[in-house]
Amino acid sequence: MPRTGRATTLAALAALSALLLGSTSPAAQAAPAAPATINCTGWTYTTYSPGLTHTVRPTTVTVDGDLNVTGPHSPTGSCLTVGSTASAGERNVTALLELSCDQLLTETGVETVHWNNGTSSSFPFTAAVARGLATTVITETGTVTSGEFLGGAVVETFTAPNLDLLACDSPAGATTLNFATVLTVL
């Protein structure tokens, strides 16, 4: 066999080996996958004990948060996901906080969402409250520090009609609020 034929055969075998075993050349490596994102709607049913009044006081807050999960306090929901198999999520939290109807939440914390694909996302957040003419909106912002959607920027809004806060004027106060919820991780 001529020398050029042997060189061509060796080059072809080397190329085939690289293809079968995986090449380390930058040109042959796959492009990195786009980061996973999710946008979900749902509901966050929150109970307060004692009920919220216009006086700041220690209050036990119990949160039943559902994203694209239908339940007694969550009539609808949806999730649009790219790069993940998560399509619904939940978070259930109980905490003792200093609250009133006029100061629902303006603090920091860590939230964890448990996804229906067996993963979770945790993110430290800061929260701000904006009371408009018809609604009260709590907005949490943060960055996912562990789990699904790691490194993603989080914006979560909770919106309740101000009519639900009329109970703040009663002696028992507002004992429940059901917030329409939107969670976006980009």
Side-chain angles (χ1 to χ4, degrees), residues 76-163:
T76 61
S78 66
C79 283
L80 176 62
T81 309
V82 175
S84 171
T85 59
S87 61
E90 295 185 81
R91 65 213 174 302
N92 300 305
V93 178
T94 299
L96 182 63
L97 301 171
E98 296 283 328
L99 299 177
S100 74
C101 285
D102 305 315
Q103 181 183 322
L104 278 175
L105 183 66
T106 54
E107 60 183 52
T108 62
V110 176
E111 182 174 317
T112 300
V113 177
H114 300 278
W115 301 108
N116 65 328
N117 65 354
T119 65
S120 62
S121 299
S122 293
F123 57 94
F125 67 86
T126 57
V129 176
R131 181 151 300 146
L133 294 176
T135 61
T136 296
V137 179
I138 300 171
T139 302
E140 293 181 358
T141 57
T143 300
V144 177
T145 56
S146 68
E148 188 86 357
F149 309 108
L150 180 66
V154 178
V155 176
E156 187 169 24
T157 59
F158 306 89
T159 305
N162 285 344
L163 288 175

Side-chain angles (χ1 to χ4, degrees), residues 40-42 65-69 79 87-89 91 113 115 156 181 183:
C40 290
T41 63
D66 296 320
L67 299 167
N68 196 27
V69 175
C79 283
S87 61
R91 65 213 174 302
V113 177
W115 301 108
E156 187 169 24
T181 306
L183 171 82

Side-chain angles (χ1 to χ4, degrees), residues 52-81:
L52 297 173
T53 64
H54 295 290
T55 303
V56 175
R57 61 185 173 180
T59 306
T60 299
V61 181
T62 304
V63 175
D64 175 14
D66 296 320
L67 299 167
N68 196 27
V69 175
T70 303
H73 303 288
S74 184
T76 61
S78 66
C79 283
L80 176 62
T81 309

